[in-house]
Amino acid sequence: MPHHWQSKTQKNVSGVEDMVLIAKISEDAIAENLKRRLLDDFIYTYIGPVLIAVNPFKSMPYFTDAELDMYQGAAVYENPPHIYALTDNMYRNMLIEGDNQCVIISGESGAGKTVSAKYIMTYITKVSGGSGDIQRIKSVILESNPLLEAFGNAKTVRNNNSSR
């Protein structure tokens, strides 16, 4: 039976999940670690509290309800790096401390910024539960994304539909 991408018993983990553990950090070492992880379909890697996502340019099976359940309420380093771990940590900090939270999504055109934002919004809407007003807010958030994408979408050298 093949290992699930997040199996805790997996023996051959490519690279390191948190690049602060690289013996000698350099641009080459970081690039090599990300490349090795991507070749084995590990698209997420930490460098301390920062999550790095590498766009695999293909569909990945990492965003099901099983993953959502696995990351909900878990400590960040309890499971492999994932955008749900980052989002859950942010969401819990918002609830516990009552402070606003911010996620910075950065990258070149076609890097997957819009997709990452969708995963964050979807996770928050699924874990927040809720009644009337919460459901309305969820609906507004999820339905606003196509409108936001419509502003500034343009053909660029790298991408025919670049979101801004």
Side-chain angles (χ1 to χ4, degrees):
M1 173 183 249
H3 285 289
H4 185 269
W5 76 281
Q6 297 164 323
S7 173
K8 294 183 189 314
T9 60
Q10 188 171 7
K11 304 272 189 235
N12 287 332
V13 175
S14 294
V16 294
E17 291 182 343
D18 190 335
M19 291 191 288
V20 298
L21 301 174
I22 293 175
K24 184 172 180 182
I25 296 177
S26 67
E27 186 176 337
D28 289 340
I30 290 172
E32 179 62 26
N33 188 63
L34 292 173
K35 178 181 175 183
R36 286 190 359 220
R37 290 182 58 74
L38 179 63
L39 289 173
D40 286 338
D41 288 339
F42 293 95
I43 63 171
Y44 293 114
T45 307
Y46 292 120
I47 186 160
V50 175
L51 179 68
I52 296 173
V54 178
N55 189 342
F57 295 101
K58 62 182 181 180
S59 293
M60 303 299 269
Y62 304 160
F63 307 99
T64 67
D65 286 342
E67 279 76 28
L68 191 140
D69 291 340
M70 188 167 92
Y71 285 93
Q72 186 175 359
V76 173
Y77 291 105
E78 192 174 324
N79 293 306
H82 196 288
I83 198 160
Y84 288 169
L86 171 96
T87 306
D88 188 71
N89 187 50
M90 173 197 62
Y91 181 70
R92 284 187 292 127
N93 285 339
M94 182 181 67
L95 292 178
I96 293 167
E97 297 177 20
D99 290 337
N100 293 335
Q101 300 290 303
C102 175
V103 176
I104 298 172
I105 302 172
S106 176
E108 294 185 356
S109 178
K113 298 177 298 294
T114 302
V115 172
S116 292
K118 286 180 187 179
Y119 288 136
I120 289 169
M121 289 189 292
T122 299
Y123 184 88
I124 290 171
T125 59
K126 285 183 178 180
V127 301
S128 63
S131 58
D133 286 341
I134 301 250
Q135 291 297 333
R136 186 182 60 76
I137 292 167
K138 282 192 218 180
S139 178
V140 168
I141 289 171
L142 289 177
E143 290 174 12
S144 70
N145 202 52
L147 177 63
L148 293 174
E149 286 185 31
F151 288 98
N153 279 9
K155 184 174 181 177
T156 66
V157 174
R158 294 185 181 188
N159 190 341
N160 284 338
N161 187 23
S162 181
S163 309
R164 307 246 189 268

